[in-house]
């Protein structure tokens, strides 16, 4: 869930990635979702409290507001995190459901 400061409330996912406070992260918007990967000169950092705070520009681009839930998908082996906002999940699931229906009618 996103709080009023843009903070993603779930620290367990960042712990699974072994991202400690101060970890620099590059955030990339891709197809309505956010890809976060470590980068030495990246502008976003895991906060001292262990939370990821999304910059306002990222929140606006993803149409995120206070209280929105996001799906976090960690890939520890690859060292990356995907953040899927509600609108992005709807698009992903719509395409998936259409494929299921198409397969059922074939």
């Amino acid at each position: 869930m996103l709080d009023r400061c843009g903070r993603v409330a779930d620290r367990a996912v960042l712990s699974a990635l072994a991202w400690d406070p101060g970890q620099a992260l590059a955030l990339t918007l891709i197809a309505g979702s956010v890809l976060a990967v470590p980068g030495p000169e990246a502008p976003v950092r895991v906060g001292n409290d262990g939370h990821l705070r999304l910059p306002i520009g990222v929140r606006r681009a993803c149409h995120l507001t206070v209280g929105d839930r996001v799906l976090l998908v960690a890939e520890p082996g690859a060292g990356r995190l995907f953040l899927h906002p509600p609108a992005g999940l709807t698009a992903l699931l719509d395409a998936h459901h259409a494929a299921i229906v198409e397969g059922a009618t074939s």
Side-chain angles (χ1 to χ4, degrees):
M1 184 177 303
L2 200 69
D3 75 4
R4 63 181 176 79
C5 297
R7 187 174 59 174
V8 178
D10 189 344
R11 290 186 291 192
V13 174
L14 298 182
S15 293
L17 290 161
W19 291 352
D20 296 321
Q23 173 68 59
L25 300 171
L27 305 181
T28 305
L29 295 168
I30 303 171
S33 294
V34 179
L35 171 62
V37 295
E41 301 300 320
V44 175
R45 298 198 179 273
V46 175
N48 290 334
D49 57 4
H51 289 285
L52 172 60
R53 285 181 179 79
L54 297 176
I56 187 69
V58 171
R59 296 191 315 256
R60 286 181 179 158
C62 292
H63 307 288
L64 288 169
T65 59
V66 173
D68 280 349
R69 294 184 181 274
V70 295
L71 174 64
L72 300 174
V73 179
E75 292 185 344
R80 60 184 168 218
L81 171 70
F82 294 94
L83 184 147
H84 301 288
L89 284 174
T90 299
L92 285 170
L93 289 173
D94 285 348
H96 180 68
H97 293 156
I100 290 171
V101 170
E102 179 63 30
T105 59
S106 297

